[in-house]
Amino acid sequence: MTTTYDADVVVIGSGALGSNAAYELAKQGRSVILLEAGSRIPRWKILENFRTSSRKANFNDPYPNEPWAHTSYDPEYLENTGSFDFRPGMLKLVGGTTWHWAAACWRYLPNDMKLKTLYGVGRDWPIDYDTLEPYYQRAEEALGVAGNGEEDQSGQGGKAWPPRSKGYPLPPDATTYMNQQLVKRLAPEGYHYIHEPNGRVTKPYDGRPACCGNNNCMPVCPIGAMYSGDMHATHAENAGAKLITEATAYKLEKGAGNKIVAVHYRKPDGSDVRLTARYFVVAAHGLETPKLLLMSDVANSSDQVGRNLMDHTGIGLLMIGDEPLWPGRGAVQQGGIFNWRDGDFRKQHSAVKHSMSNAVPNRTITERLLKQGVIGPELDERIRHDAARWIDVGTVFEMLPSPTNRVTPSDKKDALGIPMLRVNYDVDDYVKAGKEVAKKDYARFAKIFNAEVIEDESGWQNRDHIMGSVIMGSDPKDSVVNGDCRTHDHDNLFLATTGVIPASGVINPTLTGVALSIRIADTINKEI
């Protein structure tokens, strides 16, 4: 008897990773259902929400926060039990959190994927860089990445690295005056300030206009030059996929042969729907994905689901330099310092990356001056003076996976009766040792720019780069998925999330997540 399915593949989550997987499957003629817990909202509406909001510093504020699809800044959504208030800026709507990312699109280095072998700490990836390289290229083409392929991204000032089979799809944006001056001042001191590959198109591309420098990537690109996941949700629909919004998946159902046979989702009116498929791809980001697996009691024979949670937990430096740099032109990030990205030091302390913010700093400066009692013409003059010379350094650290850094379903329930999230998260000694290195750099930066230091002890900060929560590995006893992102326990269940990343490095993980998701689609296409 022939089994009838609702679809060949159900993809749970319409962010950049899920939507790219859905598109790759649909364009090969597979029947695909794409589930999204949140709603679909047009760009103009998000932009209008931002313009009328009095909470401009809250990047989640312009986005929907539904009783069944909370943003992560909702105080009811995420309960912390560890020493660190883990609160990444996640969104739930069609397109996911790439609506308000900075669009940094770095590749991992080959050495990042051999951390245990080379440096004796953390874990190795079960696949190598050469295996992933063709998918990096496809991910860059999907996202429209603009980059400089001539630089050594290891930060050592050597030849172009990591290796590439083709150039970037788009040329890099013009170097701003601020970045020209940063290079001029930092290079003689031995710092390698390199261009950041970015998912903002520098020419019209895939229906998107070229970036015109609104400097508003976070909380929303007003014109759609910056990539967001809704673009591939639409591509998937145009290729034949069916998108179902306001559909919160709460159970994966096991069947014969330990296969997943159905997903159950709940609608805002409380009604339930069961969907069957040959394959399932969970792409519900690095916190919701393990929660769904734990609620369903699937893929957890290793007891690693939800454990090993990593972020690039960081610190920050604010200072006023001795010359006008004029931040605020172009992308909110254009480059960074990678001197501590790779080397034998990783045996003792974490890798370190410093990024220079290029966002308009006027709000922060004005609030600071008002607290000092500066008003009237002096306030205007000081805003102009300080904003031109403002230097905002954001630093991230390489994390190691720890089983006690963990996400689990909370006792709290949302409006549909589905558990919220509980996170236990602490910063370990490997990162704390890296912080000491970064603080020495901070002192040098202040000296190089003859700066007035505003803040050099920010405390630990969220960086919104969720990894490790459904960790990848070659041994089913200590990992959740294999190198293909297929769960060890269920051969028709794949996880498309940065939560699979087993060694975090210091680069933003979204491009890698998209590359792995496209690879998942290729694997499924070969098997169906």
Side-chain angles (χ1 to χ4, degrees):
M1 181 174 137
T2 303
T3 302
T4 301
Y5 299 95
D6 294 305
D8 290 327
V9 186
V10 171
V11 179
I12 301 165
S14 71
L17 278 60
S19 289
N20 270 279
Y23 171 61
E24 294 292 330
L25 288 160
K27 74 179 183 181
Q28 293 298 321
R30 310 305 174 197
S31 61
V32 179
I33 295 175
L34 182 58
L35 294 182
E36 169 54 50
S39 53
R40 185 174 224 159
I41 181 168
R43 187 172 299 273
W44 70 263
K45 180 62 176 173
I46 297 169
L47 186 60
E48 191 67 17
N49 291 347
F50 172 60
R51 284 173 171 158
T52 57
S53 171
S54 61
R55 299 174 291 274
K56 294 288 192 294
N58 182 338
F59 294 154
N60 280 3
D61 203 53
Y63 294 90
N65 181 33
E66 303 288 359
W68 60 88
H70 296 269
T71 78
S72 57
Y73 290 168
D74 188 316
E76 296 298 312
Y77 178 69
L78 210 161
E79 172 191 0
N80 276 281
T81 60
S83 61
F84 176 70
D85 185 22
F86 189 90
R87 200 164 300 280
M90 313 308 289
L91 300 174
K92 283 188 180 179
L93 75 164
V94 174
T97 306
T98 47
W99 271 100
H100 70 17
W101 62 328
C105 287
W106 300 97
R107 296 182 177 199
Y108 278 107
L109 303 175
N111 283 2
D112 288 333
M113 303 168 80
K114 299 184 289 185
L115 190 67
K116 182 70 173 179
T117 298
L118 293 175
Y119 306 120
V121 296
R123 299 194 186 205
D124 288 347
W125 288 57
I127 58 174
D128 60 17
Y129 178 85
D130 290 343
T131 301
L132 196 55
E133 198 284 332
Y135 296 94
Y136 268 135
Q137 190 67 38
R138 288 171 61 181
E140 289 170 348
E141 291 168 1
L143 272 55
V145 177
N148 179 348
E150 305 302 318
E151 291 185 321
D152 175 10
Q153 295 185 353
S154 74
Q156 306 307 304
K159 64 179 183 180
W161 195 255
R164 308 177 53 87
S165 55
K166 296 167 63 178
Y168 280 103
L170 291 160
D173 48 352
T175 305
T176 64
Y177 177 78
M178 171 179 155
N179 282 275
Q180 293 175 37
Q181 292 306 104
L182 289 174
V183 171
K184 183 178 177 181
R185 301 285 291 269
L186 290 166
E189 302 294 329
Y191 288 109
H192 303 298
Y193 189 85
I194 57 179
H195 180 267
E196 178 171 273
N198 205 285
R200 292 173 310 105
V201 295
T202 50
K203 296 179 179 179
Y205 185 87
D206 193 24
R208 297 152 57 187
C211 176
C212 59
N214 282 288
N215 195 247
N216 203 41
C217 312
M218 296 181 291
V220 58
C221 173
I223 63 171
M226 185 180 75
Y227 180 81
S228 51
D230 62 303
M231 297 171 182
H232 269 85
T234 300
H235 286 341
E237 283 184 293
N238 292 339
K242 180 180 181 182
L243 172 64
I244 303 176
T245 60
E246 300 181 351
T248 303
Y250 67 92
K251 181 182 178 182
L252 295 166
E253 180 184 331
K254 287 181 284 191
N258 225 20
K259 287 183 176 294
I260 303 301
V261 295
V263 58
H264 298 249
Y265 73 83
R266 188 163 295 165
K267 300 192 288 188
D269 65 5
S271 60
D272 289 347
V273 177
R274 178 179 183 267
L275 291 176
T276 61
R278 299 174 192 274
Y279 283 81
F280 295 84
V281 179
V282 182
H285 78 59
L287 298 179
E288 289 286 352
T289 294
K291 188 184 86 173
L292 176 60
L293 301 184
L294 290 168
M295 288 166 50
S296 306
D297 188 26
V298 302
N300 197 28
S301 63
S302 61
D303 189 30
Q304 295 300 299
V305 172
R307 298 186 183 274
N308 308 302
L309 177 63
M310 296 178 281
D311 187 7
H312 289 129
T313 305
I315 58 175
L317 166 68
L318 296 176
M319 56 187 182
I320 298 174
D322 62 354
E323 67 168 322
L325 298 173
W326 306 112
R329 298 177 178 181
V332 294
Q333 290 178 187
Q334 197 178 42
I337 299 167
F338 282 73
N339 286 51
W340 295 106
R341 187 176 182 185
D342 187 34
D344 270 353
F345 66 84
R346 294 169 90 176
K347 295 174 181 175
Q348 279 79 43
H349 67 77
S350 67
V352 181
K353 180 186 75 172
H354 303 294
S355 293
M356 305 297 196
S357 171
N358 187 36
V360 174
N362 293 31
R363 182 187 59 79
T364 302
I365 290 168
T366 304
E367 289 176 350
R368 174 174 177 267
L369 292 173
L370 288 173
K371 287 179 182 176
Q372 294 174 352
V374 180
I375 58 174
E378 183 185 359
L379 177 63
D380 291 340
E381 181 182 346
R382 288 286 304 279
I383 291 172
R384 282 193 291 271
H385 177 277
D386 292 0
R389 294 159 177 81
W390 195 252
I391 301 175
D392 181 348
V393 182
T395 299
V396 303
F397 300 100
E398 174 182 38
M399 301 284 296
L400 299 179
S402 169
T404 58
N405 281 346
R406 187 178 190 190
V407 55
T408 54
S410 170
D411 295 331
K412 291 183 181 177
K413 305 288 179 60
D414 65 15
L416 302 181
I418 296 171
M420 305 277 214
L421 293 164
R422 178 185 294 128
V423 171
N424 187 81
Y425 190 86
D426 301 298
V427 178
D428 67 18
D429 290 342
Y430 190 68
V431 173
K432 291 175 182 174
K435 178 184 174 184
E436 297 305 311
V437 174
K439 291 296 294 289
K440 292 178 182 175
D441 282 341
Y442 282 3
R444 290 187 65 193
F445 296 160
K447 185 176 181 181
I448 290 168
F449 291 98
N450 298 311
E452 173 193 354
V453 175
I454 306 301
E455 172 67 78
D456 65 354
E457 192 56 73
S458 64
W460 299 115
Q461 300 174 335
N462 284 281
R463 288 292 184 263
D464 306 357
H465 301 166
I466 304 171
M467 296 163 286
S469 57
V470 284
I471 202 160
M472 177 192 291
S474 54
D475 187 347
K477 294 179 181 176
D478 67 4
S479 58
V480 180
V481 300
N482 65 14
D484 297 329
C485 299
R486 189 199 306 264
T487 56
H488 292 299
D489 296 350
H490 314 281
D491 64 10
N492 67 336
L493 176 61
F494 290 76
L495 307 183
T497 164
T498 57
V500 303
I501 292 174
S504 69
V506 288
I507 50 100
N508 314 53
T510 301
L511 180 76
T512 301
V514 173
L516 291 168
S517 300
I518 293 173
R519 190 163 178 265
I520 287 172
D522 274 11
T523 301
I524 294 174
N525 267 321
K526 290 174 185 173
E527 295 183 5
I528 288 183

